[in-house]
Amino acid sequence: DSGVTQTPKHLITATGQRVTLRCSPRSGDLSVYWYQQSLDQGLQFLIQYYNGEERAKGNILERFSAQQFPDLHSELNLSSLELGDSALYFCASSGTTSGIGEQYFGPGTRLTVT
Amino acid sequence: GDSVTQMEGPVTLSEEAFLTINCTYTATGYPSLFWYVQYPGEGLQLLLKATKADDKGSNKGFEATYRKETTSFHLEKGSVQVSDSAVYFCALTHTGANSKLTFGKGITLSVRP
């Protein structure tokens, strides 16, 4: 168990809808990362937050947004969903006790857009 | 920008066979290199890492050496077990802790008894 929790585990929704994925980092970790894993694109970095502030942005679509709250949990919002957004979304966290590149991954949320 | 290239998969081996999974990278400067593993139904977990040229990372019988001259970080294991069946990702990062990772596409390893 990595200590990172993600809810829900599975999500099935229709095109055009909006969903929110939630992540709770390991206790004390200030950094949260979001990744998208799909068969064709592999594992892609979306966005990073550090102690409530956006720190780095990757291949995140404008339809997607994220935030990190004062209690350090994070939410990834996906709107105007398309079939191609179906993927596994991972959250990871790291903190002051983490080594270089050491991130702790949650079990993921599998999103299916129909 | 940075990129990581892994050999095409999947790979299927018999138990006790020798494993090599190739990984090369393109990056400016001197990144740190990693192998992450994803067991079925789970999130990724760090397997091993190397932070400078000629460093060898090792864990659970797996090894990888940071080769700057060939920009490679190939993963090896002398004798695989069924329990090693998983997806393996090569990755890199720059500048210290709390930095984003750039991953390769991953490769699925299946080990037959």
Side-chain angles (χ1 to χ4, degrees), chain B residues 1-2 7 13 22-23 28 34 43 52-53 73 97:
Chain B
D2 297 343
M7 60 185 277
L13 296 174
N22 290 342
C23 170
T28 55
F34 309 86
K52 61 182 189 294
F73 193 54

Side-chain angles (χ1 to χ4, degrees), chain B residues 22-100:
Chain B
N22 290 342
C23 170
T24 57
Y25 68 90
T26 300
T28 55
Y30 302 94
S32 296
L33 303 174
F34 309 86
W35 279 99
Y36 272 78
V37 60
Q38 182 182 23
Y39 296 104
E42 298 182 12
L44 282 72
Q45 53 186 273
L46 179 63
L47 179 60
L48 53 84
K49 69 180 181 184
T51 57
K52 61 182 189 294
D54 299 325
D55 265 4
K56 178 187 282 189
S58 61
N59 186 24
K60 299 181 181 181
F62 290 89
E63 294 183 338
T65 301
Y66 188 167
R67 301 284 186 205
K68 185 173 175 299
E69 64 276 15
T70 54
T71 61
S72 65
F73 193 54
H74 304 322
L75 183 67
E76 296 183 337
K77 187 174 185 183
S79 176
V80 294
Q81 305 300 311
V82 172
S83 57
D84 295 326
S85 298
V87 182
Y88 292 82
F89 293 89
C90 186
L92 66 82
T93 193
H94 286 286
T95 65
N98 298 303
S99 296
K100 72 178 183 76

Side-chain angles (χ1 to χ4, degrees), chain A residues 31 33 35 37 40-43 45 48 50 55-56 88 90 94-95 98-103 105-107, chain B residues 32 34 36 38 41-46 49 51 87 89 93 95-105:
Chain A
S31 271
Y33 312 79
Y35 294 90
Q37 185 180 28
D40 53 342
Q41 296 291 326
L43 193 60
F45 167 72
Q48 176 196 2
Y50 180 84
R55 183 159 179 173
L88 196 50
F90 285 109
S94 67
S98 305
I100 294 173
E102 190 165 6
Q103 295 180 14
F105 281 74
Chain B
S32 296
F34 309 86
Y36 272 78
Q38 182 182 23
E42 298 182 12
L44 282 72
Q45 53 186 273
L46 179 63
K49 69 180 181 184
T51 57
V87 182
F89 293 89
T93 193
T95 65
N98 298 303
S99 296
K100 72 178 183 76
L101 288 162
T102 298
F103 284 93
K105 288 210 162 190

Side-chain angles (χ1 to χ4, degrees), chain A residues 2-48:
Chain A
S2 67
V4 178
T5 59
Q6 290 186 247
T7 56
K9 275 196 156 182
H10 302 277
L11 202 45
I12 302 174
T13 190
T15 54
Q17 295 298 304
R18 172 189 169 94
V19 297
T20 297
L21 282 52
R22 183 187 167 102
C23 168
S24 292
R26 279 192 327 157
S27 177
D29 282 357
L30 299 180
S31 271
V32 170
Y33 312 79
W34 286 97
Y35 294 90
Q36 179 193 57
Q37 185 180 28
S38 60
L39 281 174
D40 53 342
Q41 296 291 326
L43 193 60
Q44 300 245 346
F45 167 72
L46 295 178
I47 197 164
Q48 176 196 2

